[in-house]
Amino acid sequence: MAASIESRFLSLVSRRASHAARQQYDVIVVGGGHAGTEAAAAAARVGAETLLVSQKIQTIGALSCNPSLGGVGKGQLVREVDALDGLCGRAGDWAGIHFSILNRSKGPAVWGPRAQLDRQRYRTFIQSELLSTPRLTVLEGSVEELLLSETNPEEPGSHRVTGIRLANEGTPISASSVILTTGTFLSGSLFVGQSESPGGRIGDAPSSAGLSHTLRERLGLRVGRLRTGTPPRILKDSVDLSLAHIHPPDSHPTPFSFLNTHTRCKPEEQLPCYLTHTTPGVERVVKESLHLNCHIQQDAKGPRYCPSIESRVVRFPGRQHQVWLEPEGLTSDLLYPQGLSMTMPPDIQLRLIREIPPLHRAEIHTPGYGVQYDFVCPTQLSPALQVKSTQGLFLAGQINGTTGYEEAAAQGLWAGVNAARSALSMPTVALSRTESYIGVLIDDLVSRGVTEPYRMFTSRAEYRTSLRPDNADLRLTLKGFEEVGCVSPLRYQEAVRVRDSLQEAQAALQTLSLSSPKWRKALPDMRMSETKNTLLTGMDVLQYNDVTFEMMSSAFPESLSRHMEFAQRLKIEAVYKPHCDLQKKEIERIQKEENMSLPQDIDYLTLPVSMSQEVREVLDRVRPSTLGAATRLEGMTPAAIVHLLNYVRTAAQRERRTQRHQKEEREREMCAREAS
């Protein structure tokens, strides 16, 4: 089936390509990675005639680095992309071979849906979806430059993009909107040991130098340089997996897509992952070979949250680091060693991996390598992901300074939506950080910028208790259909059904209003204090840890049994209702406390509050004088502001109590002296 779909895809592309140069498009998307495929599909769904241009047709939808999707923070993005009718969630359900929910020991708000993927299945699904997308044409080619023309005086901007010119092609291709999703290919360079070669991915050339020149020189955009890397691929048969700790998948896979009730891979067909760790020998090999590794010595900023093993050893000497051995497919003979990104010479890479017990006889199929590439400083973009100074130009993915498939897909979808709306003379739209992780991602990029590759975490979202993976459909699908225009009627109808059913179920729970003794009688297994004697609704009782909707349905079948389909969602809604209410009050409190003074002697690096190292370093370097000044720092998160506010308030109250006690002590001493 995979070969058949790929053959059809290539055949259709070749037929369409002959007509592409003489057609006028509404939207042109440059790049066929996660951002580009989501952008092209979204633009077409909105109603725009769309052209997707990729250097290689065969690599459209390819998993360039790790064979996985989702995770903590990232899984929320996948669910939101799916809620807006994007591709990657359904592709993950079709290609997944190991499903798990990360962070399950914590609350559902920070659960991270994740799946290991079969590389070939994922690419096949994406290409099949593009095949069946109306108004979408695919063309193989390399973009040489952007076409510029006179600006529209009725719109802001000093430049206007009106299309592209392909390398070795004299005829331009015109469009009202152009989306660049060049990933790591924009002036990309590959590094292995001391060797450097042009490219954005092994086996592929970088994007045309003319495209970088257009962005820098003709459009005057601020462009920076970032780096990333990938680990070597290891032959599975050469690894002794008995020396690693096995991690089985979830026994009941949880789909990414709201349209799916099960995954393509049956529970019993899933493959396990394996965990091992680095050894002192790994650190020794790294230190002995640093002089042979030019990538790690470069000035370009590398990823903080997915660093190379060389960076880990240099930054954290003497530590043991996790290495996950992950399958690349159901029939693949390769393993992906997550955590061993490296750019040293191939012979040194082999020495290093063999210092890890399960890999002591491992053989490398493809060596790891580093990539350096250009990115455009994202503060030059609007919340629609349009370049502020250039009419008709949108950017999405790693070109905006992000890292990861999920971040790229989310940006691609939203850029595709807005490029299409702009081309069709409709107003662009924005997502608030109060309603989605996509909104958090875009707001962080365009308002704060990046100094290193940006990765999504749940801690970046101040409203994360309401921005949960389970309710992305209610938050976004209705808006996606009614206001944005990127959601199909079928998905919209399902979201409306779910919304109405949940509201009906919650109303039924609220109608169940009983005294505490009656609840204890109805639910004898519930641990409720015998002294408690208040009136409680069903929603109140469902907040108890040991109460499930199934228990309540058994006790009150006449009013609740028909809502069993939504048992888990109702439980989550009940548990988080008080948290969501409290969270809104905290944000309102921050807005009132903007002028609160921050003590200049605070040791931010050791402050006993929940705060990322990135935020601590920013606060320690800048040392803002007020809470309001802290909120505007690059990289600052609203969650960190809440914790800082609470800490300063508590410290101030403690100081006032101390001063009061000292004053009372002095007064007692004075009274004692006078009495004597």
Side-chain angles (χ1 to χ4, degrees), residues 266-333:
K266 297 178 181 178
E268 65 274 12
E269 294 175 346
Q270 296 183 93
L271 300 181
C273 294
Y274 297 85
L275 175 64
T276 184
H277 295 83
T278 60
T279 64
V282 169
E283 183 167 334
R284 183 181 66 254
V285 172
V286 168
K287 290 181 176 178
E288 290 174 355
S289 63
L290 283 176
H291 66 289
L292 300 174
N293 193 332
C294 61
H295 182 67
I296 199 69
Q297 299 167 7
Q298 296 289 332
D299 293 330
K301 191 70 174 178
R304 173 192 295 259
Y305 301 111
C306 189
S308 65
I309 188 61
E310 300 99 319
S311 298
R312 293 185 183 197
V313 166
V314 170
R315 291 180 58 196
F316 308 108
R319 293 192 187 181
Q320 190 181 61
H321 303 284
Q322 288 186 341
V323 178
W324 288 93
L325 303 176
E326 302 170 341
E328 296 217 341
L330 286 174
T331 60
S332 174
D333 59 354

Side-chain angles (χ1 to χ4, degrees), residues 98 115 299 467 582 637:
H98 174 116
D299 293 330
L467 307 184
L582 178 62
T637 65

Side-chain angles (χ1 to χ4, degrees), residues 3-15 128 131-132:
S4 173
I5 291 176
E6 187 168 352
S7 175
R8 287 176 56 219
F9 185 73
L10 293 173
S11 174
L12 183 59
V13 166
S14 64
R15 293 200 303 272
S128 176
L131 261 179
S132 59

Side-chain angles (χ1 to χ4, degrees), residues 110-124:
V110 293
W111 285 356
R114 187 181 188 273
Q116 291 296 130
L117 306 174
D118 184 297
R119 289 185 183 275
Q120 182 57 48
R121 282 187 176 184
Y122 190 88
R123 184 174 62 179
T124 298

Side-chain angles (χ1 to χ4, degrees), residues 52-94:
L52 172 61
V53 182
S54 178
Q55 286 187 335
K56 284 187 178 181
I57 296 300
Q58 296 92 334
T59 60
I60 289 177
L63 299 167
S64 295
C65 190
N66 57 305
S68 65
L69 187 72
V72 179
K74 291 171 173 285
Q76 279 85 338
L77 286 175
V78 176
R79 295 280 277 178
E80 291 184 355
V81 169
D82 178 74
L84 290 166
D85 229 356
L87 308 179
C88 64
R90 288 179 290 119
D93 291 344
W94 202 78

Side-chain angles (χ1 to χ4, degrees), residues 381-460:
L381 306 179
S382 73
L385 294 179
Q386 180 175 5
V387 177
K388 295 176 184 176
S389 63
T390 306
Q391 299 170 4
L393 181 61
F394 297 76
L395 309 181
Q398 285 178 284
I399 193 174
N400 290 339
T402 60
T403 181
Y405 302 151
E406 303 81 5
E407 292 87 347
Q411 293 173 73
L413 183 145
W414 206 241
V417 160
N418 281 306
R421 290 179 64 88
S422 176
L424 298 174
S425 300
M426 294 187 288
T428 58
V429 287
L431 282 173
S432 165
R433 63 185 302 128
T434 66
E435 64 183 335
S436 66
Y437 273 83
I438 299 177
V440 172
L441 166 67
I442 294 174
D443 184 59
D444 282 351
L445 293 175
V446 304
S447 64
R448 296 176 175 136
V450 298
T451 56
E452 60 191 356
Y454 177 101
R455 179 177 179 178
M456 177 52 69
F457 292 102
T458 54
S459 60
R460 297 189 189 273

Side-chain angles (χ1 to χ4, degrees), residues 483-532:
E483 301 177 30
V484 179
C486 65
V487 169
S488 70
L490 176 65
R491 184 183 288 266
Y492 175 71
Q493 291 165 9
E494 173 61 13
V496 169
R497 183 190 74 83
V498 171
R499 179 199 63 190
D500 294 347
S501 298
L502 283 171
Q503 289 177 350
E504 182 183 344
Q506 290 176 25
L509 285 167
Q510 290 285 43
T511 302
L512 282 174
S513 183
L514 305 174
S515 65
S516 301
K518 289 184 178 180
W519 278 116
R520 286 193 292 270
K521 183 178 180 180
L523 303 173
D525 294 332
M526 177 179 63
R527 292 193 293 272
M528 179 185 290
S529 173
E530 293 291 338
T531 61
K532 193 177 185 69

